Amino acid sequence: MQSVIWKFPLETEDEQIINVPVGAEFLSVQVQHGQPCIWAKVNPQENVIVRAKVAIVGTGHPAKHTDGMMFLGTYQLHDGNFVGHVFVGGV
């Protein structure tokens, strides 16, 4: 398998679904040009696409909806006025 790194832009919402090739390995979350994004290592020839749940929790907000999910990382927007903690998991 020849892996490549793909970027998946995010909305700053409590929960969202992203479509990724099966077997995607989530690597990092950061902001690029003001847009939060997840980077994942994928097999670009994989035809099976799965849905991954992404949860974003602001500092000080309840995080119950992240139970059982993997913590991926933290990003900041608006000069640090918003700090989002990103979790990924199955749908």
Side-chain angles (χ1 to χ4, degrees), residues 53 72 74 85 89:
K53 179 177 158 183
L72 185 58
T74 297
H85 309 282

Side-chain angles (χ1 to χ4, degrees), residues 72-83:
L72 185 58
T74 297
Y75 69 91
Q76 297 183 37
L77 292 175
H78 312 296
D79 294 321
N81 290 311
F82 175 80
V83 180

Side-chain angles (χ1 to χ4, degrees), residues 8-88:
F8 299 89
L10 299 176
E11 298 298 325
T12 300
E13 300 176 353
D14 289 345
E15 292 184 3
Q16 61 200 282
I17 302 295
I18 59 173
N19 296 314
V20 299
V22 70
E25 179 183 345
F26 296 105
L27 302 173
S28 179
V29 59
Q30 293 187 34
V31 176
Q32 183 181 42
H33 307 298
Q35 172 80 53
C37 300
I38 286 177
W39 281 265
K41 184 167 72 170
V42 303
N43 174 355
Q45 298 175 345
E46 178 58 67
N47 293 322
V48 178
I49 303 299
V50 296
R51 296 163 37 110
K53 179 177 158 183
V54 177
I56 299 174
V57 180
T59 299
H61 292 246
K64 186 168 178 72
H65 64 291
T66 65
D67 290 351
M69 299 178 76
M70 177 187 78
F71 174 71
L72 185 58
T74 297
Y75 69 91
Q76 297 183 37
L77 292 175
H78 312 296
D79 294 321
N81 290 311
F82 175 80
V83 180
H85 309 282
V86 178
F87 297 81
V88 294

